[in-house]
Amino acid sequence: MTEPRVLSVVSEIYPLIKTGGLADVAGALPGALRAEGVDMRTLVPGYPAVMAALDHAEPIQTFRNLFGGPARLLSAKAGDLNLLVLDAPHLYARPGNPYIGPDGLDWPDNALRFGALAKTGAEIGKGMLPQFVPHVVHAHDWQTALIPAYLRFGPKGQRMPGTVITIHNLAFQGRFPADLLNALELPPKSFVFDGVEHYGLIGFLKAGLQLSDRITTVSPTYAAEIQRDETGMGFDGLLRARSWRLTGILNGLNTNVWSPADDPHIALNYDIDTLSARAANKAALQEALGLDLRPDAMIAGMITRLSDQKGLDMLLEVLPLLFQENMQIVLLGSGDPDLEAKLRAAADSLPGRIGVHIGYSETLAHRIQAGSDVILVPSRFEPCGLTQLCALRYGALPVVARVGGLADSIIDANDMAMAAGVATGFQFSPVNSDAFAWALSKAATLFHDQAVWRTMQTNGMKSDLSWRIPAKRYAALYRELILARKAEGVAA
């Protein structure tokens, strides 16, 4: 079989622009797939941060009017990333967050901004670029989920690549008024139940889930959860109906970026044989966030978006227990203003015990992983989560809710796992403050048994957290799809 050519279409990509785990996946997957014989190129919007990071860029296509203004398609390189960059200043030349304006609200033209990205991805899939004609177009999340709609409802007789959509978080669905159909250059026939219509609106994600050849999400457990009434967020029926096309593939971690042995952000590098060096990182973290310099205290770290999903309310509820158990708290994140205020107030009321940094700092994220004893991920739902994978890599033991990718990636310190010597962290269920408190208390007890603790640390650090196995699964999925399209008599 010929080498699969895949166009990945994303709204963010690490290290050029990042708001969450999607960027990490988009940045790491192409390199991992190269080892599997897959030629992947990535189409990304030309935000200012992206344009500034390009090592080389060559215009290869022009658009006189792309949803309201002229645009160019650039063939570009940024490090080892092979990119196609949609340079459309009227859509993307804006400061800050790619989705949200300075007022904290969604950009009012997000439908057109990401409709343009999807339309361009579909045109490339049809063969617009002779130098790169993909067998498969791989969309990610709602921002690119109209791709299969542009393909399905385009002119008859056009080239039809295979399509895959990956759900990184089902909570973000991209729904817009129906009167934008014409502006999005979608025909009236697309506005049907089996097309882009979703409760009277244009549903970007709904279109992708309805029309893609294959659906993936970022962990096997999350793939099962989103088919249930209580956790399917309105898509459970559709996903059950298309379950044979749905696959859960657990995310990997960029182990070059997240490597305590040569991490430039941390106070002292270490590996599995020099875990004692974590003490220096712990002290540096305590000093950086104004905590009491106490090596005997168990530091519980949290790196997260501040939202109800992430269980911050449960953290606030269990604070008295944490201090009873001689813990210190460090937290990095931003989001809900009410949660930000409550966390600041908690830190102000308990100086030396709680350190809170509102915002984001890549350096501090690495330092929290290297200096914390446990990493907390009490999410009510979590498609995959990368924080707990970083924790395993750095020898911090994750305390996680038994949901989604957290359930798939952490081996709970239950009696059987402890007897077999394979535990890597602590899971709790149901997802409430009582169960969370129980898991924290268990972690605090084991923290004082340094032999057991060291075994759990080394178990985590020995885990294969790389993209090697996920890349093999994606490559197999692409090849299976290409063969299926050929069997159906559809050229891909």
Side-chain angles (χ1 to χ4, degrees):
M1 184 176 179
T2 58
E3 181 181 81
R5 295 184 301 275
V6 179
L7 175 69
S8 175
V9 188
V10 298
S11 57
E12 57 184 84
I13 185 168
Y14 180 86
L16 309 186
I17 187 160
K18 172 181 172 178
T19 69
L22 165 60
D24 293 302
V25 174
L29 191 54
L33 284 167
R34 207 170 294 133
E36 298 300 318
V38 176
D39 177 11
M40 174 175 278
R41 303 189 193 182
T42 305
L43 174 64
V44 64
Y47 310 117
V50 171
M51 300 299 291
L54 301 181
D55 300 326
H56 168 78
E58 175 188 355
I60 55 173
Q61 187 74 24
T62 59
F63 306 90
R64 293 180 61 188
N65 184 1
L66 182 65
F67 290 7
R72 303 182 302 166
L73 187 63
L74 309 177
S75 176
K77 289 278 291 184
D80 63 352
L81 293 171
N82 293 316
L83 301 175
L84 296 168
V85 178
L86 184 56
D87 179 24
H90 63 293
L91 299 174
Y92 308 124
R94 305 173 188 183
N97 188 288
Y99 316 118
I100 299 172
D103 58 1
L105 302 176
D106 290 350
W107 292 110
D109 59 346
N110 270 351
L112 297 180
R113 297 173 73 230
F114 297 109
L117 181 65
K119 181 102 191 281
T120 303
E123 292 300 320
I124 296 170
K126 294 176 190 178
M128 182 176 73
L129 303 177
Q131 63 270 50
F132 182 74
V133 181
H135 299 102
V136 175
V137 180
H138 189 158
H140 296 263
D141 276 352
W142 75 262
Q143 292 90 347
T144 62
L146 282 186
I147 288 172
Y150 284 119
L151 291 169
R152 181 71 61 88
F153 297 107
K156 291 185 177 180
Q158 66 185 5
R159 183 181 183 278
M160 288 288 288
T163 52
V164 177
I165 185 166
T166 293
I167 308 163
H168 297 267
N169 192 332
L170 197 65
F172 302 107
Q173 301 183 358
R175 298 201 293 169
F176 299 95
D179 60 13
L180 288 174
L181 198 70
N182 186 59
L184 287 166
E185 299 181 11
L186 287 165
K189 66 180 179 180
S190 69
F191 195 70
V192 293
F193 176 78
D194 291 334
V196 305
E197 188 272 336
H198 193 218
Y199 294 103
L201 300 172
I202 300 170
F204 278 48
L205 184 59
K206 188 266 185 171
L209 300 181
Q210 182 73 54
L211 301 171
S212 291
D213 295 313
R214 298 291 184 271
I215 304 166
T216 75
T217 192
V218 289
S219 71
T221 294
Y222 190 60
E225 289 172 345
I226 60 178
Q227 296 180 63
R228 301 174 191 154
D229 293 348
E230 64 275 17
T231 47
M233 297 187 177
F235 287 121
D236 49 284
L238 188 157
L239 291 167
R240 285 194 298 271
R242 307 199 77 215
S243 61
W244 69 275
R245 297 178 183 265
L246 172 62
T247 305
I249 301 176
L250 188 67
N251 279 343
L253 183 70
N254 188 329
T255 52
N256 294 319
V257 172
W258 294 96
S259 172
D262 47 21
D263 190 331
H265 299 291
I266 65 177
L268 185 63
N269 293 120
Y270 62 95
D271 60 21
I272 199 168
D273 297 317
T274 56
L275 273 169
S276 58
R278 293 190 94 255
N281 290 292
K282 183 172 184 173
L285 180 62
Q286 288 172 322
E287 184 173 5
L289 288 174
L291 302 180
D292 296 334
L293 296 176
R294 294 180 50 197
D296 62 317
M298 187 172 89
I299 296 184
M302 198 166 179
I303 306 162
T304 185
R305 175 168 46 86
L306 304 184
S307 70
D308 179 69
Q309 174 200 340
K310 299 297 184 177
L312 273 299
D313 57 317
M314 289 188 288
L315 176 67
L316 291 166
E317 287 179 27
V318 302
L319 283 180
L321 168 71
L322 301 189
F323 302 133
Q324 180 183 326
E325 297 284 3
N326 192 30
M327 295 188 197
Q328 295 176 330
I329 310 296
V330 296
L331 186 141
L332 169 64
S334 63
D336 184 289
D338 183 55
L339 286 171
E340 289 183 1
K342 288 178 179 178
L343 289 163
R344 282 195 177 104
D348 290 342
S349 67
L350 291 161
R353 302 297 299 272
I354 304 178
V356 172
H357 180 100
I358 300 298
Y360 187 73
S361 163
E362 189 74 13
T363 293
L364 185 55
H366 285 248
R367 290 180 177 178
I368 290 173
Q369 294 286 3
S372 297
D373 298 296
V374 297
I375 294 292
L376 310 181
V377 195
S379 302
R380 288 183 165 82
F381 66 92
E382 195 64 63
C384 176
L386 296 178
T387 302
Q388 82 282 5
L389 301 182
C390 297
L392 294 174
R393 181 86 166 143
Y394 279 65
L397 302 191
V399 179
V400 305
R402 190 176 293 129
V403 297
L406 305 177
D408 292 331
S409 57
I410 303 304
I411 302 174
D412 179 50
N414 58 51
D415 290 346
M416 292 295 290
M418 295 297 286
V422 297
T424 61
F426 307 90
Q427 295 185 7
F428 66 92
S429 179
V431 185
N432 59 38
S433 56
D434 288 339
F436 185 28
W438 175 85
L440 287 166
S441 182
K442 184 173 184 178
T445 299
L446 288 182
F447 180 66
H448 298 294
D449 188 334
Q450 286 301 295
V452 170
W453 197 264
R454 182 62 61 90
T455 297
M456 292 179 67
Q457 287 179 301
T458 56
N459 287 345
M461 295 180 77
K462 287 177 181 176
S463 302
D464 184 355
L465 306 172
S466 74
W467 276 97
R468 183 181 63 86
I469 295 173
K472 288 182 181 297
R473 296 197 65 192
Y474 278 112
L477 178 70
Y478 299 145
R479 290 189 168 94
E480 182 271 331
L481 176 55
I482 293 167
L483 290 174
R485 305 282 288 175
K486 288 182 176 177
E488 295 165 1
V490 180

